[in-house]
Amino acid sequence: MIKLPMIVGGKEIFKDEIIEVLYPYNQQVIGQAPKGSVEDVYQAVEKAKIGLSKLKKLTAYEKYKILMKVADLLEKRKEEFAKTITLETGKTIKESRIEVERAINTITFSAEEAKRIGGEVVHFDASPNGKGKRGYYFRVPAGIVSAITPFNFPVNLTAHKIAPSIAAGCPFILKPSEKTPLSPTMLCQLFLEAGVPEEAVSIIPGFADVGQAMTTHPYVRVVSFTGSLKVGEIIAKQAGLKKIVMELGSNSAVIVDQDANLEVAAKKSVLGGFALAGQVCISVQRVLVHEKVADQFEKLLKEEASKLKYGDPMDENTDVGPVISINEVDRIQTWISEALVKGAKIEFGGETQKTLVKPTIISDVPEDSKLFYEEAFAPVVAVKRFENIDQAISLVNKTNYGLQVGVFTNNLKNAWKVIEEVDVGGVMINDIPTFRADNMPYGGVKGSGIGREGPKFAIEDYTEIKVVAFDLNA
């Protein structure tokens, strides 16, 4: 049993009211965390005011050294973190190890960016009233950051929010998913151990009341949220005059053109569709394949899916673990049933066992079914045929989401057409939309969010511009 505290202004707090953490594979209780309250948030904000003043006194080099120490501490405990992630999320131990390695990179990128926060000269004399003026602008910490993270990447998505926050000189208050509060708490403890001023670090596990207090408090300047579109819209309406960064999911598509390398496209589509049991914002959910190669591609897709082993996530040979809860299994089955009633056909998989959902491939999924236009967050790939690249682009755009898209083609004209015309934040040529490098600008358009993650780009949202002008005529 893993029992961890909440942290308010650097101080560890245990409470009688707790949140039980279940192992998704067998639904056994494996840990607990204190249940936070609105009062805890208020206390964290008061501490964060002090933390902000302390962080402002740190040099860029000092922040760099602190974050590099966090990365080093995580490196030394990466297997412990990986096992905790698997117990919380149900992702395979292989996937958890990859997440920890990515988090180390994310924190390292943030450390490096701490030394690059700058500005540039402003040519005031380019304006008619600027003669004799010289000046520049630079970036300063925006203020207190409220960060809210989901269950699927409890360490790396936490790192993507709190490491750039410290690099920018901003204290943070973190609310992890109530399903996965353990590994984020462990990470915050490393930040304190590395030397971040204690008042600048708070993590408060809890539910909607905690999140609302964090996002509406008048002294919070930045809200960084990763989660559902529905909750993102609520936060946007309630937050008030704040800087908002949101990654709200997707139902990412892959386009497989008639001249694509079908073997590569099939292998990568299976990887992107079933990794983490499909519980990734940029999972391959829809595969749009040219009708001339559809039969061959679908055969290859099923062959690749049949190679996957699903089951116990702690087994080193497991490729696909459970989904996060029984409720999600029920929802997934309902969505599949809806598509089948409307004319879709299961080509592979479809079976469930407790929280395990066998990797599933479904063809002829109607455009008015949830599997096509909503975010499935499940190990389910929907295959649909298209006649030409214009139709494929139209199908990609025919949802309220726009995070990333993958395109397999050797036709440069078609590749450029997709780049120009799809409404998404990222286009991956001859790769799946599931590709993400932790230093790239990551985010979407439409219902997929506002702003970009990636340390360099997150820091832009965590800082404000201050301009300085000198009048040489005075």
Side-chain angles (χ1 to χ4, degrees):
M1 174 75 73
I2 305 171
K3 297 181 180 181
L4 291 175
M6 72 167 61
I7 299 172
V8 176
K11 302 299 183 185
E12 296 189 348
I13 299 172
F14 289 91
K15 289 191 166 187
D16 292 334
E17 273 196 284
I18 61 167
I19 297 172
E20 289 188 331
V21 182
L22 304 182
Y23 182 28
Y25 180 60
N26 59 20
Q27 297 296 291
Q28 297 298 306
V29 177
I30 54 89
Q32 62 184 42
K35 180 184 175 185
S37 66
V38 173
E39 289 72 24
D40 295 317
V41 175
Y42 294 161
Q43 291 179 24
V45 170
E46 291 305 310
K47 292 291 185 180
K49 293 178 187 177
I50 302 170
L52 180 61
S53 64
K54 289 187 175 182
L55 284 173
K56 285 181 177 180
K57 294 176 182 177
L58 295 180
T59 66
Y61 182 73
E62 288 170 334
K63 289 182 288 185
Y64 161 80
K65 290 292 289 183
I66 288 171
L67 289 170
M68 287 302 295
K69 186 173 181 180
V70 175
D72 182 61
L73 291 169
L74 183 54
E75 174 73 31
K76 292 175 180 176
R77 293 176 56 188
K78 57 186 181 182
E79 187 65 15
E80 177 190 354
F81 270 79
K83 289 180 178 178
T84 304
I85 290 170
T86 292
L87 288 172
E88 287 188 294
T89 66
K91 67 173 63 174
T92 68
I93 189 65
K94 295 183 292 187
E95 293 167 332
S96 295
R97 289 182 185 128
I98 292 171
E99 178 178 350
V100 177
E101 293 288 355
R102 287 183 60 189
I104 292 168
N105 287 333
T106 299
I107 295 164
T108 302
F109 285 135
S110 299
E112 293 165 345
E113 291 300 330
K115 297 192 291 185
R116 298 181 183 137
I117 302 171
E120 63 181 47
V121 171
V122 178
H123 293 282
F124 290 103
D125 60 358
S127 175
N129 65 338
K131 185 175 182 179
K133 295 282 178 50
R134 299 288 187 274
Y136 61 97
Y137 75 83
F138 63 104
R139 289 187 172 273
V140 298
I144 300 169
V145 173
S146 281
I148 301 176
T149 53
F151 74 84
N152 56 338
F153 287 91
V155 171
N156 194 37
L157 286 184
T158 295
H160 265 289
K161 297 184 186 302
I162 68 176
S165 179
I166 297 302
C170 298
F172 65 81
I173 303 169
L174 171 69
K175 190 191 94 63
S177 167
E178 67 277 5
K179 294 181 175 68
T180 57
L182 303 177
S183 55
T185 300
M186 291 162 59
L187 185 61
C188 288
Q189 289 173 327
L190 296 190
F191 273 66
L192 290 169
E193 184 179 346
V196 176
E198 62 179 24
E199 294 89 352
V201 177
S202 293
I203 175 168
I204 305 174
F207 296 89
D209 57 335
V210 170
Q212 182 176 8
M214 287 173 55
T215 55
T216 58
H217 197 291
Y219 283 104
V220 169
R221 179 58 179 160
V222 182
V223 174
S224 181
F225 170 75
T226 300
S228 71
L229 172 58
K230 180 180 178 180
V231 176
E233 289 175 334
I234 292 171
I235 291 173
K237 291 175 182 177
Q238 294 179 343
L241 196 62
K242 294 177 174 63
K243 303 185 78 174
I244 298 177
V245 187
M246 292 189 177
E247 197 273 279
L248 304 177
S250 190
N251 57 358
S252 297
V254 167
I255 297 173
V256 181
D257 207 356
Q258 60 182 316
D259 60 354
N261 185 322
L262 300 185
E263 290 80 7
V264 171
K267 286 180 180 179
K268 289 196 171 187
S269 294
V270 165
L271 174 65
F274 304 127
L276 279 63
Q279 298 168 118
V280 184
C281 295
I282 41 179
S283 283
V284 174
Q285 181 173 330
R286 299 178 293 156
V287 178
L288 311 174
V289 57
H290 197 285
E291 60 184 10
K292 290 185 178 180
V293 296
D295 289 341
Q296 184 183 356
F297 177 79
E298 287 180 11
K299 180 182 177 182
L300 290 168
L301 198 66
K302 288 185 282 187
E303 288 176 357
E304 290 300 320
S306 68
K307 298 175 184 178
L308 298 175
K309 178 182 178 181
Y310 70 106
D312 183 353
M314 281 294 186
D315 185 333
E316 297 284 349
N317 297 313
T318 298
D319 300 303
V320 182
V323 296
I324 192 66
S325 69
I326 292 290
N327 288 340
E328 285 301 293
V329 175
D330 294 339
R331 178 190 61 79
I332 293 164
Q333 288 178 317
T334 299
W335 286 25
I336 291 175
S337 297
E338 180 209 31
L340 295 178
V341 167
K342 293 183 177 182
K345 182 173 67 172
I346 292 180
E347 300 287 348
F348 181 85
E351 300 93 342
T352 64
Q353 181 182 356
K354 296 184 180 179
T355 52
L356 290 173
V357 178
K358 185 176 181 179
T360 301
I361 299 169
I362 302 181
S363 63
D364 300 324
V365 176
E367 295 171 30
D368 63 347
S369 64
K370 287 186 173 68
L371 282 181
F372 187 87
Y373 68 85
E374 290 288 357
E375 182 176 34
F377 229 58
V380 180
V381 171
V383 181
K384 192 171 184 65
R385 304 183 180 205
F386 66 87
E387 297 177 5
N388 54 60
I389 200 67
D390 290 309
Q391 184 186 20
I393 292 169
S394 176
L395 289 169
V396 171
N397 290 336
K398 201 172 184 179
T399 78
N400 191 33
Y401 294 107
L403 191 46
Q404 295 195 158
V405 67
V407 186
F408 288 90
T409 184
N410 286 305
N411 184 319
L412 184 59
K413 183 178 179 181
N414 282 354
W416 274 111
K417 189 174 183 65
V418 173
I419 292 169
E420 293 290 335
E421 296 183 16
V422 291
D423 297 327
V424 296
V427 181
M428 309 300 146
I429 305 298
N430 286 323
D431 208 343
I432 49 178
T434 322
F435 172 77
R436 178 182 181 182
D438 289 297
N439 61 333
M440 79 185 207
Y442 173 75
V445 300
K446 301 191 293 187
S448 286
I450 303 169
R452 294 293 181 270
E453 286 191 340
K456 175 182 176 180
F457 308 96
I459 286 171
E460 292 178 1
D461 287 306
Y462 295 166
T463 54
E464 305 275 16
I465 288 176
K466 183 176 287 188
V467 65
V468 178
F470 292 88
D471 189 344
L472 304 182
N473 300 314

